[in-house]
Amino acid sequence: MAQTDNKKFFENLTGAGKAIAVLTSGGDAQGMNAAVRAVVRMGIYVGAKVYFVHEGYQGMVDGGDNIKEATWESVSSMLQMGGTVIGSARCKDFRSHEGRLKAAHNLVQRGITNLCVIGGDGSLTGANLFREEWSGLLAELVEQGLIDEEAAQKYSALHIVGMVGSIDNDFCGTDMTIGTDSALHRIIEVVDAIMTTAQSHQRTFVLEVMGRHCGYLALVSALACGADWVLIPEMPPEDGWEEKMCEKLSAKRAGMKRLNIIIVAEGAIDRNNQPITSEHVKNLVVQRLGFDTRVTILGHVQRGGTPSAFDRILASRMGVEAVLALLETTANTPACVVSLCGNQSVRLPLMECVQMTQEVQKAMDEKRFEEAVRLRGRSFENNLKTYKLLAHRKPESELPHSNFNVAVLNVGAPAAGMNAAVRSAVRVGISEGHKMFAVSDGFEGFYKGQIKEVKWADVGGWTGQGGSLLGTKRTLPAKHIGKIAEQMRTYNINALLVIGGFEALECLLQLYEARSSYEEFCIPLCMLPATISNNVPGTDLSIGADTALNAIVETCDRIKQSASGTKHRVFIIETMGGYCGYLASVGGLAAGADAAYIFEEPFDIRDLQSNVEHLTDKMKTSIQRGLVLRNENSNENYTTDFIYQLYSEEGRGVFDCRKNVLGHMQQGGAPSPFDRNFGTKISAKAMQWITKKLNESYRKGRVFANTEDSACLLGMRRRAMVFQPVVQLKDETDFIHRIPKEQWWLKLRPLMKILAKYKTSYDVSDSGQLEHVVLNRPKESEAMAAI
């Protein structure tokens, strides 16, 4: 009972009598529509009036039809659209005092004192200035006789909450801005396509990506595709870089690599703050090496297309959080911006973030480049370190010699991003001076001796490959433990990195238990979660889950579109996930589902009946399509067929029904940028941990590690990457259903229900704390939600 008392429920917050305006300003970014939809629906849900401001600040200044009340239906079908449906514009008028006076008049006329601004730092700074001037503007309006004293009193305070919509990810204080992940999707699609043509002709491609002041897109896409060279504004190359780059490209060609990729941020500069253009890089390669070289400038392609699953979820979570922030704000609350830290929404003072963002530019202008990277935040710093570690191989003479042998293997079902994790482990291991061994076909291959040494070049080009190139099996080691120990002796394996799903956890537990009988397992053992189901205890996210979510969301978009222009239709879609409802729930939030049936939230025939009635009511409005997701093992009696037949029967005369089982398409395909980078970074961190443990436990010519903390899972929990002893995770695990006993994403389920117009209870205990921008977080809490 005591725990319940600490909870704070959203139902106790009301928006009655409040008016909220939402606008998008500055450059557009995919996911802005999802944020607008979330603000509108959450606002209406709590009883507030919500207004669209069309064409950004220009619409606020011009007033009239540019400021329109929004309805629930006016944001349906917005979720999957790129750009911003309500329009965005650069606005000179708003920069002038007269313009802001007009804007204030237009808002007061409609009783709007809550503003939700989705844009970049310029748009948010403008909003803060508007807020600070508000009382003065109202006084002027009273003086001019445009409003009366009563209105000035009633609307005396303007409340502002910002959300950052920018594909550049150039705003300090948040790990990811809305639109960044989608822009990375566009870039990686192009790079993957270019790689095939470059390979055919032995070409070098110079790719220019957006980022006038921020190199995030260039850096992360370079990490995601294993580019040979990357040029970014925050960390210009050392003098003489031209020579080094050409040497590297030349060495790659000599090593039989048929293509080279160089990624250049549009704002790339040298140490003297002089621009480095893609054309300049091309001319360098042609003149010095004579390679066939082409330039591709991606331009506005990066802003276009539908938002990725990550951006839809991020924008929906931020939109809901923004409304909560507006409901809780007081006259003394500073303007805040809703940010993402690790896997958690946080509120930060807007101007603290803006000031730090401006500090980055100042540091770059003053050639304090190390400082600029540090100010960008730990996620950016991490990306840069990992890229340097993986892209540039040190000469043999400079490598440390550890005399340790480390084996890496995949276990369980294949998941996109596994290959990126293996590549990263092999290269970091070699950089640390270890001999790296790859095991084919999991523990089945292990006991059969399918073990071979892998070199740096053997894993080239692995980042973008789907599935598992090493081969993976579900076989657990217990049956063959003696033979596995024998192979460990034969190859003198001193540490083991296991990349896989729930089976990988079971494998590590079995190896840990075998330590009492076999000394060979008294070595550092580390596991990385990699499964589309995201059902591994000890981590909020698993490698592969993001790619599966994108597959689900893309398919749902196509399925929904197939019904446009026809009569009312409801789609019942079955997702994978075993007993874990992550894919159905989070996929449902990203695809705009009306319901998602999962094992963790038991349902009966009455729930199905009320969902049908709810959809029937919706269909009587202008909404044409319904979407229902069902996790494959959600209920043994209420099967996908049963639900389909029930909906078909009960909806007769109002809507018809179709069903789809997505099956293994959720497991296939090239990994998403998130999974490539998550796999790469988490694996690099694991190898550094293994090295540390090996050095700690090396005694008298051998490794001996028999403590609980020498067999760990590396996972992401809220804001931190954490190594957790697998033995301690046993208590957190439901082994029968192969899921964690507590799952963070269940907190997102009410969001899906609220946005689908269901009355529900929503615990907001985590929200509401205005934090401060922290430059250097504690070492262990490296937030990596972000890629």
Side-chain angles (χ1 to χ4, degrees), residues 132 232 352 631 758:
E132 286 171 349
I232 58 171
E352 280 186 28
N631 164 249
Y758 284 93

Side-chain angles (χ1 to χ4, degrees), residues 93-141:
D93 294 344
F94 192 74
R95 289 179 187 171
S96 69
H97 184 75
E98 276 63 43
R100 292 194 289 277
L101 192 65
K102 279 184 190 171
H105 186 216
N106 288 327
L107 294 186
V108 170
Q109 279 182 313
R110 293 164 179 82
I112 298 168
T113 55
N114 296 283
L115 209 53
C116 185
V117 180
I118 308 162
D121 62 338
S123 308
L124 298 178
T125 308
N128 193 60
L129 174 65
F130 190 40
R131 176 181 166 276
E132 286 171 349
E133 287 183 353
W134 184 255
S135 54
L137 294 171
L138 293 196
E140 273 185 66
L141 291 170

Side-chain angles (χ1 to χ4, degrees), residues 11-28:
E11 302 87 284
N12 305 330
L13 299 169
T14 175
K18 292 192 176 184
I20 300 170
V22 59
L23 70 125
T24 53
S25 173
D28 63 310

Side-chain angles (χ1 to χ4, degrees), residues 206-473:
V206 180
L207 251 85
E208 184 182 300
V209 300
M210 280 184 164
R212 202 168 304 137
H213 304 293
C214 178
Y216 186 88
L217 288 179
L219 180 56
V220 173
S221 50
L223 200 53
C225 71
D228 298 297
W229 202 266
V230 65
L231 294 156
I232 58 171
E234 291 86 348
M235 185 51 76
E238 301 290 343
D239 292 340
W241 63 274
E242 297 93 337
E243 202 60 52
K244 279 186 185 163
M245 184 184 77
C246 290
E247 275 173 23
K248 188 179 177 199
L249 298 180
S250 186
K252 283 277 175 87
R253 280 295 164 92
M256 303 306 289
K257 190 177 177 189
R258 293 178 60 86
L259 78 153
N260 302 108
I261 301 276
I262 301 164
I263 295 183
V264 184
E266 62 178 335
I269 50 173
D270 64 17
R271 291 262 149 188
N272 300 311
N273 280 351
Q274 293 306 304
I276 300 175
T277 64
S278 44
E279 201 57 42
H280 173 62
V281 175
K282 175 201 162 176
N283 294 337
L284 258 174
V285 177
V286 172
Q287 285 160 17
R288 299 199 183 190
L289 299 173
F291 289 175
D292 185 0
T293 307
R294 298 282 191 276
V295 171
T296 301
I297 297 172
L298 266 61
H300 281 72
V301 163
Q302 295 156 86
R303 283 195 193 283
T306 59
S308 65
F310 184 99
D311 272 330
R312 296 180 195 200
I313 297 155
L314 176 67
S316 300
R317 285 174 76 178
M318 282 186 168
V320 166
E321 186 69 25
V323 173
L324 290 178
L326 286 171
L327 293 181
E328 293 176 351
T329 192
T330 64
N332 305 321
T333 314
C336 81
V337 64
V338 179
S339 299
L340 181 77
C341 179
N343 189 30
Q344 213 181 351
S345 293
V346 293
R347 299 178 197 171
L348 299 169
L350 172 60
M351 289 321 289
E352 280 186 28
C353 298
V354 168
Q355 276 154 11
M356 194 180 287
T357 305
Q358 288 166 351
E359 281 295 316
V360 179
Q361 192 56 50
K362 197 174 159 196
M364 280 153 60
D365 292 342
E366 292 170 6
K367 302 182 187 176
R368 292 181 285 118
F369 298 115
E370 300 283 345
E371 180 75 358
V373 169
R374 201 169 64 83
L375 287 166
R376 276 272 177 244
R378 205 174 280 283
S379 176
F380 189 92
E381 217 175 344
N382 237 0
N383 284 318
L384 189 58
K385 279 180 189 161
T386 311
Y387 177 77
K388 284 178 176 173
L389 203 58
L390 298 174
H392 305 296
R393 188 184 179 182
K394 287 179 183 168
E396 290 288 335
S397 55
E398 287 179 34
L399 290 174
H401 287 287
S402 72
N403 295 323
F404 292 128
N405 294 346
V406 181
V408 58
L409 69 159
N410 295 156
V411 172
M418 274 182 164
N419 298 322
V422 172
R423 169 187 176 266
S424 176
V426 168
R427 292 197 167 178
V428 174
I430 290 169
S431 300
E432 303 274 2
H434 310 318
K435 255 191 187 177
M436 295 301 296
F437 288 84
V439 183
S440 300
D441 298 337
F443 281 101
E444 192 170 307
F446 209 134
Y447 84 81
K448 291 177 179 171
Q450 296 171 359
I451 304 165
K452 64 169 195 242
E453 191 184 345
V454 270
K455 296 285 204 282
W456 185 279
D458 296 337
V459 290
W462 277 36
T463 14
Q465 303 279 332
S468 164
L469 292 170
L470 283 184
T472 179
K473 292 270 169 72

